[in-house]
Amino acid sequence: MQHNLARARACAPGARVWGVLKANGYGHGLERAMRGLADADGLALIEPDNALRLRELGWTKPILLLEGPFDAADVAMMAAHGINGAVHGEEQLALIESARLPAAAKPLNLHLKMNTGMNRLGFKPERFAAAHARLRALPHVGEITLMTHFANADETAHPRLPIGEQVRRFNAGAAGLPGPLSLANSAGIFHMPGAARTLGAELVSDWIRPGIMLYGGSPGGKSAEEFGLLPAMTLSSELISVQDILAGDCVGYGSRFQADGPMRIGVVACGYADGYPRHAPQGTPVLVDGVRTRVVGRVSMDMLTVDLSGLPQARVGSKVVLWGRGMPIDEVATAAGTIGYELMCALAPRVRVVEA
Ligand SMILES: *Cc1c(COP(=O)(O)O)cnc(C)c1O
């Protein structure tokens, strides 16, 4: 995580970094991610309870709620613990306006969010300045950062919504407004500097918001290795059984795999109850004793089965890497029709975590 955080900084010289650790630190554990990201300038997440937990764990630098407060109690909690939050819509703006905070409360530092085409959260560009003025008028509001979240930061030439158009909308909506900018997620960090140059635009993010890259996952476009990232999480297990099967024999539920000839099958103690995707098809890559082979048959709750054809030495106890060092999570995710983010976040509580 430290290495990956340094990569993020190197891509955006001078920018401050929100280390994003929502969803239990992308599956790595909140406290573990907090320690791994100790050098970040602030930590950003979604869950108000976990923001409070970070304070209890001793995090004294800024904390940002990426979706802002959900109710008045969250606003009070933000004021009491110096937690920043996004403001992304009319209802939330009204919540901030109607907050009755103790006179001694620290002012709320907020990220006013613009919708630049994602159409999930944020004020439309033409309504942004008015929302900004309403926030500025509030005595209990401190610094207002101008924020957006790009729909296609990794595709400079997206046919529907190119990054240039998103940047143009942001610049139009934010024109003349004071305050730092907070624009880029991992994809933006890797792809936007180029995009901004293409436009000839001077778009500098004062804050960057890396998430997936901090854990060594690729945000898309290139592999994590090509981006210079290292995997933070390795999901490993062992073979707990080896079966010799003959032509015509089948493996697992539904007998989905049928052998063409005699072969050996390894049974790995890892299944969908551990967070391995059940929809991983036959052929999904896996490492056994450091050698690449493939998943065969259906993934079950506690086990999955692998082809040991090229692995005559493999036996019960052989080490298996499902993803992480030596087996990029993005490759497994692609085979399974998903993204590394989902695999990381879905790591199940029963998996024993060992810090190496
Ligand atoms: C999750 C999130 C990020 C981090 O995104 P990555 O793609 O993981 O880098 C940044 N900004 C916001 C608003 C987010 O919700």
Side-chain angles (χ1 to χ4, degrees):
M1 287 182 207
Q2 288 170 349
H3 166 90
N4 296 331
L5 180 62
R7 280 289 298 139
R9 280 201 194 281
C11 291
R16 282 178 286 169
V17 181
W18 290 115
V20 179
L21 43 54
K22 59 190 173 186
N24 196 31
Y26 287 55
H28 295 69
L30 186 74
E31 186 175 359
R32 216 168 279 116
M34 182 189 91
R35 282 189 278 118
L37 303 177
D39 294 339
D41 300 292
L43 295 176
L45 73 178
I46 300 291
E47 312 87 5
D49 292 356
N50 283 341
L52 202 50
R53 178 98 190 98
L54 289 171
R55 283 280 181 257
E56 287 163 6
L57 288 168
W59 184 265
T60 54
K61 291 189 267 185
I63 297 176
L64 171 65
L65 292 175
L66 290 163
E67 287 179 0
F70 297 97
D71 56 25
D74 289 344
V75 181
M77 186 277 284
M78 287 162 62
H81 297 275
I83 291 169
N84 304 5
V87 179
H88 65 74
E90 287 294 335
E91 296 79 1
Q92 213 168 33
L93 182 50
L95 201 59
I96 304 285
E97 284 178 325
S98 62
R100 295 287 164 264
L101 301 174
K106 285 171 247 164
L108 293 168
N109 291 334
L110 300 170
H111 267 46
L112 184 62
K113 185 163 187 176
M114 193 195 300
N115 174 6
T116 47
M118 178 90 93
N119 286 313
R120 296 187 316 189
L121 303 180
F123 292 87
K124 292 227 157 71
E126 61 275 17
R127 310 193 56 184
F128 194 71
H132 191 272
R134 279 169 63 186
L135 280 183
R136 279 237 281 185
L138 300 175
H140 57 278
V141 169
E143 185 177 56
I144 305 171
T145 299
L146 314 182
M147 171 194 197
T148 191
H149 192 54
F150 295 121
N152 305 309
D154 53 340
E155 285 184 72
T156 40
H158 193 283
R160 293 189 175 159
L161 187 59
I163 181 77
E165 172 58 15
Q166 299 166 83
V167 170
R168 194 197 60 72
R169 290 180 191 179
F170 184 81
N171 282 338
L177 298 179
L181 307 184
S182 175
L183 309 176
N185 60 359
S186 300
I189 290 163
F190 285 125
H191 299 285
M192 267 191 30
R197 266 200 302 280
T198 311
L199 285 169
E202 279 298 311
L203 193 62
V204 180
S205 202
D206 300 293
W207 280 97
I208 54 172
R209 304 189 305 268
I212 193 74
M213 69 175 291
L214 299 177
Y215 307 97
S218 169
K222 282 199 242 171
S223 72
E225 194 183 356
E226 287 168 321
F227 282 129
L229 305 173
L230 296 174
M233 173 196 295
T234 295
L235 179 64
S236 62
S237 184
E238 292 181 3
L239 296 186
I240 55 168
S241 170
V242 174
Q243 301 289 338
D244 289 297
I245 62 170
L246 301 172
D249 284 350
C250 301
V251 176
Y253 288 118
S255 301
R256 190 163 69 159
F257 178 76
Q258 188 171 37
D260 294 334
M263 67 182 291
R264 294 202 317 147
I265 294 290
V267 181
V268 183
C270 179
Y272 60 78
D274 300 294
Y276 196 89
R278 182 176 177 277
H279 51 271
Q282 228 146 245
T284 301
V286 53
L287 283 188
V288 177
D289 282 338
V291 176
R292 226 178 141 91
T293 181
R294 59 181 182 136
V295 170
V296 292
R298 238 176 223 158
V299 173
S300 50
M301 185 185 284
D302 312 300
M303 284 171 264
L304 57 84
T305 39
V306 297
D307 181 356
L308 296 181
S309 299
L311 283 141
Q313 305 335 332
R315 51 178 176 77
V316 168
S318 284
K319 184 156 158 99
V320 177
V321 172
L322 288 315
W323 62 65
R325 293 218 171 224
M327 177 49 65
I329 193 168
D330 298 302
E331 264 190 64
V332 178
T334 301
T338 181
I339 51 176
Y341 294 73
E342 190 182 15
L343 299 186
M344 283 182 195
C345 293
L347 189 76
R350 85 169 179 188
V351 175
R352 191 191 301 149
V353 178
V354 181
E355 288 184 38

